[in-house]
Structure formats: C-alpha cells, structure tokens
Amino acid sequence: MRYWEHRRYYRQLILILSLGLAPGAAAQAPPSRGLPAGEVHLRITSSRIQKYKIVVAPLTAEGLGVAESSELAARIREIVIDDLDYSLRFDVINRRTDDLAFISLSSAKDRVHFDGWQATGADYLVAGSLFAMDRQSMVDLRVYDLSLKELVFLKNYPLETAGLRRTAHRISDDIVLNVTGEKGVAGTRIAFAMPTSELNAELFYCDYDGYNLTPVTSDSSIAKLPGWSPDGYSLAYTSLKGDVDLYLADLRSHESRLLQAAKGVDMAANWCSRNGFLTFSSGFLGDQEIFYLPPGENKPQRLTFSYAMDTEPFWSPSGDELTFMSTRAGNPHIFIMGADGLNLRRLTFESRNTTPRWRPRPYGDKIVLTTEISGVFQIAIIDITGDNFVQLTTAGENRDPTWSPDGLHIAFISDRRGGRGNFEIFTMDWDGNTQRPLTKGFRKAREPAWSPFLDW
Amino acid sequence: MKKTFLVLSFFVASVLVVIGCHKKEVPPPPPPPPPPVVEKKPEPVKVDSTEILARIRREKLSQAKQKIAAERIYFDFDKSDIKPEFRNVLLGVADLLKEFPELRLRIEGHCDERGTDAYNLGLGERRCNSAKQFLSDAGVAEGRMDTKSWGESRPAAMGHNEAAWSKNRRDEFIVE
C-alpha cells in the first residue's frame, strides 16, 4: 500500500466515526447502491477537500556557481509554493524565507529537525538541494510526514534553465500526488483563441499559471473554440476559413488537418476523456444539430432532432451522457441527454444559458455555465439535477467557463479589468473564490479550454 | 452577190465583236459596287446594336452586383426571422438574381457581441438561412446560394451599445 493510501484509509476511518457521532450527517451520504462501504465514504471525503499544512524549507544550493544556484533554488521554491497554494490541497506555512522563525532548522538529509519543523504547525515538510553541474543541474527533492517523522517520497529532477518552470510544476504535482493520492494540475495548460490582427485570430496555449505563451495555429483566418484531445497532444477547433469547419491541430508537428467539413457551420468540438468519442454540432441540415464520432470512424452519428439550435455538446466524465445548449424552448437553455440521444432532461428554465461544461471526476455532479443576469453574462454552477443554481461571478461580464481536470478550478474570460468587451482569462476556485487574472502580458484571449492532465 | 454577202458577213461579225466587247466591259463596274455598298451599310448597324445591348447588360450587371453588395438586412436581438421592412430588399435581390442567372450569391450572417461564441456562430447561420429560404421562395435556385456565418467576429460598428449592436446584427450579400 502506498503512503497516501494509508493516509486516505486513516481519513476514512475518522470520517466514518464522525458520521456515526453527528446526527443527521449520515443522512447526507448517498444511498450505497450496493457499492462497498469504503467507496461511499470516499465520495464524501472527496466533496470536502481536505487541506494539509505544508512548509517548504529553502532549497540548499551545492556544486558550481553557488550564488547562481541559490538564485535558481529560490525561484523553484517560489513556483512550488505558488503551485501548492493554488492546488487548494495545501495551506502553505510561512512562505517568505525572511519570515522563517525556523530558518536555522536543519532540513538536510538524515539530519531533519522533525520536532522543530512540527512546531511550525505543518503536517508535511518539503526539503531539497540543487546540485549545479557543468552541463546539467539536478534537484534532489524530499517530502516528510512530520507527525510520523518519516520520508513520504524522494526524487531527483534534472534541471535545464529554460525548463525551470516546467520542472518546478512537475515537483509540485509529485508532491500533490504523493501526499493526497490525487493528480495535480500544475503541469496542465490552457488553450484559447486570441486576435493576431484586426481580421485574424489564432489558437495559443500557455501554462496553467499564464506563463510560456505558445502559438498553435497559423491559419491566417479566425480560429475559435479549442477542445483538447484526451491524450493532450492535439486540439480540435473551429476555423472560419471556408464555410466554418472543424480542424485538428497537432501540437507536436504544428500541422492542422480538416476534421469535419459539412455544408454550414461545424463547431464546438469536445472529446470524451474516458472513451475518446468526439462530439460536435453541424448545421448542414439547416440549423445546428449534435453529432458524435467514435475514435477511428468517419461517419458521424446524429443525436438531436429539433427544429432549433442544438450546440455546445459536452460529455459527462463517464461518457454516458452529454450536456448541451438548445433553443428548442425559445431562449437558449441547458439540457442533458444520454449518449444515445434519449432520456432528455432540461436543467435551466430562466434567462439565457449557454456553454455548459460538466465537472470532471470525482465531482461530476455539477455543470458550470454562462448565464445572463440583468443583461450581463455571468458564470454560474448548477447540479445535474437542476438544483442549487449558484452565481459565481459579479464583476464585469464573465463567460466561457472551463474546468481544470481535477475539477477544483474554473478558467473563464472577464472584462472586469479591461472594460466592456475587452476580455482576458481569469481563474477561480470551483466555488467562486480567489478570482484572479491568468494572463501574463497578453490580453484579449477568449474561449479558454483547460487541458487534461498532461505527460509533456 | 458573193461580194455583198462577204461585206454583210464582215459587218455582222464586226458588230457581234463590238457588242461582245461592249458586253464584257459594261457589266463588271456597276453590279459589284452596289451589292457591297448595300450590304456593308446594314452590317455595321447590326453589329453596333448587339454590342451596345451587351454593353448595357454589362453595365446593368455591374450595377446589379453593386446594388446587391450594398444591401443589408438587419435583425432584432437574438432573432433570425426576416423583418417586414426588409422583405422588399430581399425581393429586389431576388429580381436581380433572376435577371442575371450567371450570378452566384454568398449570404454572410453576423451577430452583435452579446452572447457566447458558439451560440453566435449558430445564430449567424440561422440569419443566413432565413435570407436563403426567402430568396429560394422568391424563385432563386438554392444551388446558386452559399452561406457563411461570421458569428460576432466581424462587427460593422464598434462600440458596446444598442446603436452599434443594431448595425452588427445583419446579413451581407457577396456576389460572384
């Protein structure tokens, strides 16, 4: 059993005990439906994100050019702290080195001052060294459980200066995985459309924290509405060259190829992360209808049959259902249907609602959307039962929400800083907290799509 | 007697020769000139009229193209139905298209900035298709018409108010 599995088992045990003690709490647990008891309790722990207190010791610098190595070590530490803080899974204690009352505490291998570090209130300690060598440097990283006074994991990371941010993100995600058992999002990216001239817009992506802006398309047209493939190596998107068709951009070869080119508008591609099915909408029958395409096939199957606009299809995490926007009831509203097009149900009944995006596992019971409130578009979240509609944004106009693959964050566009119509990408926690701009030195980005977990 | 016969025959022969010579010399000059002159006069008149007609048609075609390209029809917010005041615009476009069967039409649909992007691409498509259906009902073959939605990405007027938005909710017509 891996370390975090021990830890989770321990948490479950506490939860089961507390459920037993708190009257009424047990009633909130979903019916067991024949699942083993452990799984039911797991779901409850997942919906309340447990935060661990963690302290990141200054990384020691060794080897050649100590001054420069210290500088690199300090930068890596800052990025890791930002990542852990952003992850919502940690409270980072005493992030500023000059605040450290414990600056003299040893974090050296085999000489960790456990009692001293534990006195800071932290559950976990991150420690490490940077070895600067001629051609390549190396980060030696260790994470300790301070209550058990034992090593959780250690790992060496080769470091190139150009890839410093990526290495730091990799370290952060390994800390998240090894302590919580969940994947971290520090290595993910966000794709979006951005104007390159008065008449053109191309696709770009950046790191999840807004750094490393990278161009994807060079269509000299208007590229829109990117959707990540499940493997994270390509983007399906809508290009306005021609009569509006779907293309696929390969992020390794930087080449684009035609994906769907029926008469009329083909757009709004979304891939199911579980089975690789592609869904999109096409107007070749007169108005937008929703189709899906299994991997390796080229004959799309039709899912909707209304005399209205049906578009923005988005798979549920299981791939068993899709949410979509339809004008079949007059104004645009959000619906859910089975992957066979049956069992239709309507989620919204008021105002105008578009861009439904299903929350990823393990929280796949909510949908984030764009809703019109007093003539202004805002982000809101709603249960898949249609209950608990909660508005998440209020400042300026906000739209185009997209989930991080861990389901804990939402990226969206807002004109609250740039003024009406001047949108840029923001992110927030899934419940609307911590709203902040993502973009670093670039503006007017729109239609963000958060990547799946990436292995590059 | 023989002498008289000889003289007569000589006279007759010479007369015949003279007549023969006269016949050869007289006909060529008059007949050829009249027919060419008569034929040449109508010919230039006929050529001129078809060229003029063709030129007039070319000018009318060019005017028709300009007229169609300058037409706009506008829509209400979040609507794609043809408003009554623009029916005559479309009927005029239909008449011109029927007068000039060689023209092809591309209808381009646009939206104002409100609404999300996929929705507006779909709405622009519906605005194209409303005009296409109207023109088809007015007798323009569907095969002569293409559509393209620009969504909200090609505004005609900048600004974030109804004055700008109302100019941006439109169909434009491109003739080829």
Side-chain angles (χ1 to χ4, degrees), chain A residues 348-363:
Chain A
T348 61
F349 292 86
E350 286 169 37
S351 184
R352 292 183 168 82
N353 303 279
T354 57
T355 67
R357 316 279 194 239
W358 209 304
R359 194 176 183 189
R361 278 176 169 159
Y363 318 102

Side-chain angles (χ1 to χ4, degrees), chain A residues 95-117:
Chain A
R95 51 173 302 150
R96 289 180 51 196
T97 44
D98 55 4
D99 282 351
L100 293 178
F102 43 80
I103 195 136
S104 57
L105 293 173
S106 169
S107 63
K109 203 179 280 186
D110 303 324
R111 282 186 288 115
V112 177
H113 193 321
F114 284 113
D115 292 333
W117 289 109

Side-chain angles (χ1 to χ4, degrees), chain A residues 226-340:
Chain A
W228 289 86
S229 65
D231 67 5
Y233 284 107
S234 47
L235 291 169
Y237 67 100
T238 306
S239 172
L240 268 58
K241 61 185 174 189
D243 75 345
V244 189
D245 299 311
L246 279 179
Y247 287 79
L248 188 70
D250 187 313
L251 299 181
R252 285 173 287 194
S253 68
H254 299 282
E255 282 169 7
S256 286
R257 67 177 174 84
L258 202 56
L259 200 59
Q260 278 295 318
K263 216 171 170 59
V265 174
D266 306 295
M267 64 169 171
N270 169 253
W271 307 80
C272 179
S273 55
R274 192 181 69 82
N275 58 23
F277 278 45
L278 177 70
T279 183
F280 61 96
S281 70
S282 175
F284 75 91
L285 295 160
D287 61 42
Q288 292 291 309
E289 300 289 351
I290 292 168
F291 296 79
Y292 74 89
L293 195 60
E297 293 187 22
N298 53 21
K299 193 177 181 301
Q301 307 291 313
R302 187 173 170 187
L303 284 172
T304 57
F305 295 85
S306 79
Y307 289 105
M309 201 197 304
D310 298 309
T311 185
E312 300 183 319
F314 197 96
W315 293 104
S316 71
S318 68
D320 295 337
E321 291 181 300
L322 301 99
T323 181
F324 64 102
M325 184 279 290
S326 175
T327 58
R328 62 186 68 192
N331 281 340
H333 281 289
I334 307 305
F335 294 77
I336 289 177
M337 63 179 164
D340 53 5

Side-chain angles (χ1 to χ4, degrees), chain B residues 55-143:
Chain B
R55 197 165 66 234
I56 288 169
R57 196 172 184 285
R58 277 201 303 275
E59 277 166 13
K60 284 178 78 176
L61 178 66
S62 165
Q63 283 168 3
K65 281 182 170 177
Q66 284 176 19
K67 185 162 166 29
I68 294 173
E71 295 289 16
R72 301 278 185 279
I73 60 171
Y74 297 94
F75 296 86
D76 285 338
F77 171 64
D78 202 16
K79 291 285 187 293
S80 56
D81 50 313
I82 306 294
K83 295 168 80 174
E85 59 262 47
F86 296 112
R87 295 174 63 88
N88 281 338
V89 172
L90 288 176
L91 287 172
V93 171
D95 286 344
L96 291 170
L97 288 172
K98 284 185 279 185
E99 190 179 343
F100 300 101
E102 68 269 44
L103 288 183
R104 287 188 57 81
L105 183 71
R106 189 166 79 244
I107 307 164
E108 297 193 341
H110 299 264
C111 304
D112 67 33
E113 64 180 353
R114 292 172 295 171
T116 47
D117 291 81
Y119 183 79
N120 279 338
L121 279 172
L123 181 60
E125 180 174 54
R126 287 175 76 88
R127 287 176 177 165
C128 291
N129 287 337
S130 294
K132 186 180 175 184
Q133 186 62 51
F134 188 99
L135 293 172
S136 167
D137 292 345
V140 181
E142 280 201 31

